[in-house]
Amino acid sequence: EILNFAKKVATENAMDITGKRILEIGSRNVNGSVRPFFQLVNPSEYIGIDVTFGDLVDMVLDGCNAEEKFGKDSFDFVVTVETIEHVKEWKRFIQNIKHVLKPNGLLLLTGRSTGFPRHEEAEKYGDYWRFTKQQIGEVFSDFKIIELREDAQASGFLMLARKSENFVEKEITVIPEPIP
């Protein structure tokens, strides 16, 4: 369902993508990539970052350091698919997403929710958290949430949100479920 969601987002939001800068955080192709859907709409630049080099990784960089590398308000669209649950410092990760995204920029975020088993990749890269749809809605309550729903195929969430023109960051008070 993630790939279908990304394809729909790319198609329906082409005006927000064509000629614009996209950052994908967690871009390494493990189980299929959303990148082709966005590249079809001709962004001016598409940068894929991940903590380790691999297929579709343009730069090895932790998402927690995106603002330091790229600067504030530097991307029109941020994509992060099935990554947040693998980030130990998830609040810093979210803050970096919010900071590198330009005002009126779009965010596509997906992840796993409570009840989803530990990932196979967990031994290598960590699998720390599970977020409910409601928790993600709260974490991004300072954005305009366009769509937030549960992933019908597996326990998870799919979200498309827009950073407001006059963005004021809210304190994150959510506590996700830790994975033992």
Side-chain angles (χ1 to χ4, degrees):
E1 186 167 8
I2 296 161
L3 294 177
N4 288 334
F5 183 68
K7 184 177 182 179
K8 174 182 169 249
V9 166
T11 304
E12 292 178 0
N13 296 280
M15 288 179 58
D16 287 298
I17 300 167
T18 303
K20 304 293 176 77
R21 294 186 78 209
I22 297 177
L23 175 66
E24 182 178 354
I25 304 173
S27 65
R28 190 169 53 91
N29 186 1
V30 177
N31 298 318
S33 173
V34 300
R35 186 174 186 152
F37 303 126
F38 294 100
Q39 287 187 309
L40 280 173
V41 194
N42 299 313
S44 65
E45 185 175 23
Y46 194 110
I47 300 172
I49 65 170
D50 208 306
V51 294
T52 185
F53 189 73
D55 185 33
L56 301 179
V57 177
D58 300 307
M59 181 185 301
V60 174
L61 180 70
D62 188 317
C64 292
N65 299 319
E67 181 182 13
E68 181 182 327
K69 174 68 177 172
F70 300 112
K72 200 168 188 72
D73 301 337
S74 51
F75 290 93
D76 303 285
F77 205 117
V78 173
V79 175
T80 182
V81 176
E82 306 304 291
T83 303
I84 191 171
E85 64 267 25
H86 299 288
V87 180
K88 195 166 200 164
E89 294 182 70
W90 68 271
K91 284 186 182 182
R92 186 169 162 213
F93 180 77
I94 294 296
Q95 288 167 336
N96 270 261
I97 290 170
K98 290 179 178 184
H99 294 176
V100 299
L101 191 60
K102 291 178 181 178
N104 286 322
L106 286 174
L107 168 65
L108 171 72
L109 176 72
T110 73
R112 297 298 98 208
S113 294
T114 52
F116 192 86
R118 183 178 282 277
H119 289 46
E120 289 177 22
E121 295 285 303
E123 298 307 314
K124 289 185 198 173
Y125 306 107
D127 190 13
Y128 303 106
W129 315 105
R130 295 296 181 265
F131 296 85
T132 65
K133 178 183 86 166
Q134 291 77 16
Q135 288 171 326
I136 289 299
E138 188 177 322
V139 167
F140 287 95
S141 63
D142 48 8
F143 273 45
K144 178 183 183 248
I145 296 176
I146 298 166
E147 186 172 354
L148 175 57
R149 61 184 169 92
E150 292 180 11
D151 184 335
Q153 290 183 333
S155 182
F157 61 87
L158 309 167
M159 184 185 77
L160 178 65
R162 185 179 299 277
K163 183 176 177 179
S164 68
E165 181 69 43
N166 302 310
F167 176 71
V168 177
E169 190 171 0
K170 291 184 180 176
E171 181 183 355
I172 298 172
T173 58
V174 166
I175 301 171
E177 180 181 315
I179 301 296

